Amino acid sequence: MQNSYGDYKEQFQSSPTGPAETDLLEKLSIQFDIPFYPELSAGTLRFDFTKKIPIQYLKKQMMVPLETPEGAFIAMNDPSNFQALDDLRHILGWGNAGIVLSTHAAILSAINLAYNQDSGSAEEFIQDMAEESPDSIISEIEETADLLDDTSDAPVIKLVNLMLSRAVKDHASDIHIEPYQGSLSVRYRIDGVLYNAMSLPKRIQSPLTSRIKVMAKLNIAEKRLPQDGRINIKIGDRSVDIRVSVIPIAFGERVVMRLLDKTDTSFKLDDLGIDEERFNSLDSLIRSPYGIILVTGPTGSGKTTTLYAALSTINHPEINIITIEDPIEYQIKGIGQIQVNPKIGLSFASGLRSIVRQDPDVILVGEIRDMETAEIAIQSSLTGHLVFSTLHTNDAASAVTRLIDMGIEPFLVTSSVIAIIAQRLVRKLCDECREPYEPDDKSLAKIGIDRDLLKDRTIYRKKGCPACMNTGYMGRTAIFEMMLLNDHLKKLILKTSDANQILKDAIKSGMTTLVEDGVRKVLDGTTTIEEVFRVTRI
């Protein structure tokens, strides 16, 4: 005997997501002869309904209107919700619209996409702002839980919401708002490179900056001093933490917003783009009982992500992991994280002293900036703790020189540091549009590729398509060099701190340099010669 509708409904309510939901919807599709769409194509969405129906209503009822070659339909998640279905048909004037079943995630994604696309254009809001008085801009603003739910009519609020939602949609890591003598420029940093996003009239500058300051809880009256703040927002189903920096420059206040998407905070060593041999070495290193592992590179080279991935890999209930960071970029469950606060005297050094008294097994120090922090980190490693930290140097060998320049004795470096990892981020070629080509000898010589290596291999270059916003690239991966301090290198460091000599001997010991790892990723079609050259500057 087949299940009754009531049985299905009870099962539906107890299994709202995951594989069980898909299985259930497939059964319902057969039982009630309703088509089941596991995914909803963006091309089938109608955007005109966003003017008539609040986003909160569709999210609550889990329904979204769409169109197919067969006609207009309404996708719904709970086929027993007939009352809401009839109401939606009546509001839209779709009396004969059919229904299809779809998953909770697919419907929510479609709703967010529709209302995001309908956010309007920057030009519309700028035109409206010409009629607004500056006082009205600040009086009515208060941050909402979801930017897509914000129904405020103030054009400046809509403009900021549009700016943020587009940045999140385009996977931008930073938004730069830069005032000039007669204009205001907005740029997004996507995959490490800045792109022009908007060019705004000068009159927008003051209300736009004020809106952002209010959201970040900064002093809107103070325009002479730098200020830092934070904004927490939701855009659809994504939670975003924004660090705001405002500084006064010649033509007004310059604003930079760093976006941290906290929706997916799973960090895995497998996702770093490291080859199998060095992956096994790194996996073994991060399980060492004591010692220091340093990750080096310039700002924005992915050092923190690498360290978070290492901590996530070894994060188990039987291990006590404590970090001190500036700032805490992502919260990791099961790890104690301390925020540096210079205003109250909580520095890396003072925080590290306190951490040692918390019986840790593993310690992460966000950055070694001075001799005091370096000394405490070294003493911690010598007393049986595994310490992770970062340094700002160009390569792995230079990190040794930097520590010794800080005043650390060479014998302390060799007895505590077990590995130094240097890294950079390179943009990955878009799989949709990359094209093969034959590079000239000059390009190959740039990064030291011998033409003999090209036998049976294809080199690709960027082209550009709608999928990658015509940049030719989509996403980033890391290139690494990993210097393990073996006995030979330790003896050398005791004699000299010359980075060039240390580098030469590390290469003789089998170390793969940043450039060589970049060449590997060029030869396997992951990135381009120009990208490797850009980040390594040979």
Side-chain angles (χ1 to χ4, degrees):
M1 183 178 174
Q2 288 185 318
N3 288 355
S4 69
Y5 188 86
D7 293 334
Y8 275 125
K9 185 177 179 184
E10 185 179 344
Q11 187 181 359
F12 172 86
Q13 289 171 338
S14 64
S15 305
T17 58
E21 180 197 19
T22 303
D23 294 342
L24 179 59
L25 290 172
E26 286 174 348
K27 291 176 184 175
L28 288 170
S29 173
I30 296 168
Q31 178 83 0
F32 301 104
D33 194 26
I34 301 173
F36 171 50
Y37 289 12
E39 295 181 358
L40 300 175
S41 168
T44 66
L45 288 174
R46 291 177 62 102
F47 297 120
D48 54 356
F49 66 81
T50 59
K51 305 291 186 187
K52 304 175 183 177
I53 307 162
I55 186 173
Q56 299 94 328
Y57 178 80
L58 293 182
K59 283 185 176 181
K60 181 180 178 182
Q61 305 298 340
M62 270 298 116
M63 296 188 301
V64 64
L66 55 93
E67 285 185 317
T68 68
E70 292 78 31
F73 288 84
I74 295 171
M76 59 192 307
N77 190 241
D78 180 356
S80 67
N81 195 4
F82 291 121
Q83 182 63 54
L85 175 66
D86 289 342
D87 291 344
L88 188 58
R89 281 173 169 162
H90 178 71
I91 293 168
L92 294 172
W94 290 12
N96 298 319
I99 60 172
V100 297
L101 299 179
S102 191
T103 62
H104 185 279
I107 291 175
L108 190 60
S109 177
I111 292 170
N112 289 332
L113 176 63
Y115 283 83
N116 194 14
Q117 291 285 346
D118 192 54
S119 297
S121 68
E123 290 75 16
E124 291 173 23
F125 305 142
I126 291 163
Q127 203 158 3
D128 292 343
M129 285 174 67
E131 303 165 9
E132 291 256 338
S133 67
D135 296 335
S136 67
I137 290 163
I138 298 159
S139 60
E140 59 179 288
I141 354 177
E142 208 34 72
E143 185 182 346
T144 58
D146 186 335
L147 288 192
L148 299 181
D149 291 348
D150 194 339
T151 55
S152 170
D153 292 328
V156 69
I157 299 178
K158 291 183 178 180
L159 178 61
V160 173
N161 291 355
L162 172 70
M163 194 183 296
L164 293 174
S165 58
R166 277 190 184 171
V168 172
K169 181 185 169 190
D170 294 342
H171 303 287
S173 61
D174 301 83
I175 302 173
H176 290 237
I177 302 171
E178 303 163 343
Y180 298 102
Q181 189 167 5
S183 64
L184 189 66
S185 173
V186 179
R187 297 194 289 172
Y188 292 166
R189 187 179 294 279
I190 302 171
D191 292 335
V193 178
L194 282 168
Y195 297 94
N196 287 323
M198 301 176 192
S199 184
L200 306 175
K202 185 71 173 175
R203 69 174 186 273
I204 305 299
Q205 180 180 328
S206 180
L208 182 65
T209 305
S210 294
R211 166 59 179 162
I212 293 167
K213 281 184 168 183
V214 169
M215 292 178 73
K217 297 179 173 59
L218 300 177
N219 183 357
I220 61 170
E222 180 56 76
K223 300 185 179 183
R224 302 162 300 169
L225 294 172
Q227 296 187 68
D228 294 308
R230 284 185 103 109
I231 304 171
N232 289 295
I233 60 169
K234 281 186 70 182
I235 297 179
D237 54 352
R238 301 171 78 170
S239 175
V240 183
D241 185 30
I242 303 171
R243 296 207 306 269
V244 180
S245 171
V246 183
I247 61 169
I249 62 172
F251 299 111
E253 291 179 289
R254 192 179 194 277
V255 182
V256 174
M257 294 183 279
R258 166 66 59 90
L259 279 63
L260 298 170
D261 191 342
K262 297 197 170 185
T263 307
D264 181 15
T265 55
S266 57
F267 299 95
K268 297 178 182 176
L269 285 180
D270 313 46
D271 299 334
L272 298 180
I274 192 167
D275 60 85
E276 187 177 354
E277 181 184 344
R278 289 187 299 170
F279 175 85
N280 293 332
S281 296
L282 181 57
D283 190 59
S284 175
L285 282 169
I286 64 176
R287 299 177 196 279
S288 302
Y290 54 84
I292 296 179
I293 297 174
L294 294 173
V295 181
T296 77
T299 302
S301 60
K303 301 187 296 295
T304 303
T305 301
T306 298
L307 290 176
Y308 279 174
L311 292 182
S312 298
T313 302
I314 61 174
N315 185 16
H316 296 292
E318 62 269 21
I319 295 177
N320 182 21
I321 304 174
I322 304 180
T323 76
I324 180 158
E325 306 170 58
D326 183 24
I328 297 171
E329 295 198 3
Y330 295 99
Q331 277 87 31
I332 304 176
K333 188 177 179 181
I335 294 177
Q337 296 172 272
I338 301 171
Q339 169 74 55
V340 166
N341 190 346
K343 292 179 182 177
I344 58 171
L346 180 55
S347 63
F348 280 116
S350 62
L352 190 49
R353 282 198 188 90
S354 301
I355 286 174
V356 175
R357 293 192 287 270
Q358 287 278 313
D359 184 33
D361 298 295
V362 179
I363 300 169
L364 167 64
V365 184
E367 184 184 344
I368 293 178
R369 295 177 179 172
D370 51 45
M371 181 180 174
E372 186 181 10
T373 308
E375 282 180 334
I376 303 168
I378 287 170
Q379 292 302 326
S380 301
S381 72
L382 294 175
T383 53
H385 303 96
L386 180 61
V387 180
F388 294 95
S389 192
T390 69
L391 273 177
H392 286 285
T393 61
N394 291 327
D395 57 22
S398 300
V400 174
T401 309
R402 177 76 187 278
L403 287 172
I404 293 172
D405 284 347
M406 280 183 184
I408 305 300
E409 293 290 342
F411 75 89
L412 286 174
V413 175
T414 58
S415 58
S416 59
V417 179
I418 57 176
I420 303 171
I421 302 163
Q423 70 177 74
R424 300 287 190 280
L425 292 177
V426 293
R427 290 179 291 173
K428 294 194 293 185
L429 279 163
C430 173
D431 291 330
E432 300 291 327
C433 66
R434 66 176 187 173
E435 60 180 15
Y437 81 113
E438 188 74 25
D440 56 38
D441 292 335
K442 185 178 179 182
S443 297
L444 293 175
K446 261 186 180 182
I447 58 172
I449 297 181
D450 193 315
R451 194 166 283 278
D452 293 339
L453 290 173
L454 300 186
K455 292 176 181 177
D456 302 322
R457 290 180 183 268
T458 305
I459 300 271
Y460 293 89
R461 64 183 171 192
K462 68 172 186 175
K463 185 179 180 183
C465 67
C468 60
M469 297 182 295
N470 293 312
T471 64
Y473 298 100
M474 186 176 289
R476 289 189 289 179
T477 189
I479 57 174
F480 296 92
E481 67 181 27
M482 189 184 303
M483 189 173 82
L484 308 181
L485 267 68
N486 55 30
D487 291 339
H488 174 72
L489 285 176
K490 287 179 179 179
K491 288 176 183 176
L492 177 65
I493 291 167
L494 291 173
K495 294 177 185 175
T496 178
S497 61
D498 180 15
N500 290 328
Q501 186 60 50
I502 295 170
L503 177 62
K504 286 177 184 176
D505 281 51
I507 292 171
K508 286 179 185 176
S509 299
M511 182 183 81
T512 301
T513 65
L514 283 168
V515 178
E516 289 169 344
D517 194 33
V519 167
R520 288 180 182 178
K521 287 182 167 61
V522 169
L523 294 175
D524 67 17
T526 303
T527 190
T528 62
I529 292 173
E530 291 73 23
E531 265 300 284
V532 175
F533 181 74
R534 179 180 69 86
V535 301
T536 57
R537 297 290 187 205
I538 308 164

